[in-house]
Amino acid sequence: MNQSQPSARLTIQTLDDLVAMVPFLLGFHPHESLVVVVMDDTGIQLTGRIDLTDAAQPDRLADLVGRLAQRFGTAEQWFLAFSADTEIAWRVLHECADLVGALRLGRLLQVDDRSWRADHRHGESGWVGSNGVASQAAALGMSARASRTELTAQVAGPEDAEVAALLAEFDQAHAWAQSLADAERDRAAVRLTRTATQQRDLVRLAVLVSDPQAQVAVLRTLDRDNAAAAVACWTAVVAHSLTPYLVGPLGLLGVASWLTGDGATQNVCLERLDQLQPLAPLAALLDWINQKVLPPSAWSQHQSALVGALIDQSRLVGNSDPRLPGV
């Protein structure tokens, strides 16, 4: 789910505009996906996506629609099924309509590679192609990757060919981190989030935030003003992190991405965490944000409670006396 950002405000006037903007709202071109766009009188509040096969499961769809209705009670939900399979697309879209109800339903659209159709199989139609609003979005710096696969590649860690060279770097960084007192490690982690650009410092940062105490120290300094810089930092750290050290950088990248409104990156980080360490406290934090559909604007209000929950979760899973993992 991506929160809309006022700094990138554009006017969507037609269904052509909406279809063309969805990849920019998500950050990638959806395929075999159900996309929901939540709108109220002030504009688009949120854009969410799930796999169309998941949306075909009534419990999954009801959960999504219900959470959005609870969070945005007076807003409309518009649904777009991106698939050439008209049978499953319209079955899911009509289920969406039943769940939302006429009062809060926007429009239903089925979109394939060439065209879109609205409301029902024989409804209003148009062509998918170049669009002025989409061009404005690109000019504003909004990105639309070719697929979600490109996004997941950004959180996969280093290429296999890079691992051998990184091993020695991690050995040195591990020895350096162990030479520091706890408070020194926390201060170093916070400092490096602002200054790290070279491989040595990125590796050191990966090692430092394998310690939950350092994760907490970094989260305490994170806000919406520095979130974009944090995304750039943690993206670089993830690209240089060996697998035993990926959890901390992935979790912090997920939180920073959420604060910028980039729910797509937040969710691929969470999916990668679920593969690596599903009980990681940062994974629990990201999942809670998703379940509550918490907007980035609420960070300042909830930051202390979320950091406290992270500390409690770390103790719960046995990390009350954190140790740096070996390579």
Side-chain angles (χ1 to χ4, degrees), residues 120-276:
H120 52 81
R121 295 186 190 213
H122 306 292
E124 178 185 354
S125 63
W127 297 102
V128 175
S130 58
N131 178 278
V133 171
S135 298
Q136 293 176 48
L140 285 170
M142 298 177 70
S143 61
R145 300 169 185 86
S147 70
R148 197 169 186 268
T149 303
E150 290 190 10
L151 200 60
T152 58
Q154 293 184 0
V155 300
E159 299 287 341
D160 290 345
E162 301 171 337
V163 170
L166 284 169
L167 282 170
E169 195 83 70
F170 268 87
D171 282 339
Q172 295 172 17
H174 192 267
W176 167 78
Q178 287 189 318
S179 72
L180 303 176
D182 289 349
E184 291 176 317
R185 284 204 295 267
D186 294 348
R187 288 194 294 269
V190 171
R191 183 183 71 253
L192 287 173
T193 59
R194 298 190 297 264
T195 63
T197 56
Q198 301 301 311
Q199 178 171 287
R200 184 196 70 169
D201 288 340
L202 295 170
V203 169
R204 284 183 169 184
L205 193 47
V207 170
L208 289 170
V209 298
S210 62
D211 180 342
Q213 292 180 359
Q215 296 170 13
V216 167
V218 170
L219 282 176
R220 291 190 194 280
T221 68
L222 191 59
D223 57 38
R224 297 185 73 187
D225 291 334
N226 62 27
V231 167
C233 171
W234 294 115
T235 299
V237 175
V238 166
H240 290 81
S241 294
L242 298 179
T243 300
Y245 296 92
L246 268 173
V247 170
L250 280 170
L252 293 167
L253 174 59
V255 177
S257 297
W258 165 67
L259 281 173
T260 67
D262 182 1
T265 299
Q266 173 199 354
N267 278 291
V268 296
C269 287
L270 180 55
E271 290 171 5
R272 186 81 168 105
L273 285 170
D274 284 342
Q275 294 170 355
L276 294 171

Side-chain angles (χ1 to χ4, degrees), residues 15 18 35-39 76-80 104-109:
L15 292 179
L18 178 61
V35 174
V36 54
V37 181
V38 180
M39 302 187 196
E76 290 185 343
Q77 296 186 35
W78 294 51
F79 296 93
L80 300 90
R104 296 301 173 201
L105 179 65
R107 301 285 296 272
L108 306 173
L109 290 93

